[in-house]
Amino acid sequence: AAFVPLEKSCKAGIAASCFNLGIHDIAIRGNVKRAAHNYAIACEKYSERLEEERIFKLKSCALKTALENCLRDQEEHDPVKCAKKAFWEISDKYDANSTKE
């Protein structure tokens, strides 16, 4: 029930909701496929007008690709473990770059 508002606003195309729902899909639900879908929506919907939104757009697009790769390699690797690792690596990369600019 706690995810219902995020799900509704993501379906309505609110990029921040899709991004946050992706975090919950990985960390709490372990649903990498759904997280990749939510990051794809966030990647599409975030604008590049503001610096903060541009960073979230880049993170969302990178996460979408990384999670798709985790799903592709699921026979060899645990997709949830792969997704968590990818999330932290991508977050660290873009957070570090945003503080340098």
Side-chain angles (χ1 to χ4, degrees):
F3 298 108
V4 172
L6 277 178
E7 291 168 349
K8 286 182 179 181
S9 57
C10 181
K11 285 180 184 177
I14 307 299
S17 295
C18 295
F19 187 89
N20 289 325
L21 191 56
I23 294 169
H24 292 293
D25 285 334
I26 294 169
I28 297 170
R29 294 177 170 173
N31 191 336
V32 178
K33 185 175 180 179
R34 184 177 164 128
H37 173 75
N38 289 326
Y39 286 124
I41 295 169
C43 175
E44 178 187 323
K45 297 294 183 179
Y46 270 118
S47 85
E48 295 186 29
R49 293 177 311 186
L50 302 173
E51 178 64 17
E52 183 177 324
E53 285 197 31
R54 186 180 71 80
I55 296 296
F56 276 103
K57 181 176 188 73
L58 292 170
K59 284 168 105 172
S60 298
C61 297
L63 283 163
K64 171 195 164 291
T65 301
L67 298 186
E68 288 171 348
N69 290 335
C70 288
L71 290 168
R72 220 174 275 124
D73 296 336
Q74 65 184 327
E75 291 177 11
E76 297 176 28
H77 306 287
D78 176 3
V80 175
K81 187 175 181 179
C82 176
K84 287 179 180 180
K85 181 180 178 189
F87 178 85
W88 289 113
E89 287 174 356
I90 290 168
S91 292
D92 288 346
K93 174 185 173 183
Y94 286 103
D95 292 345
N97 286 340
S98 68
T99 58
K100 291 178 186 175
E101 296 177 346

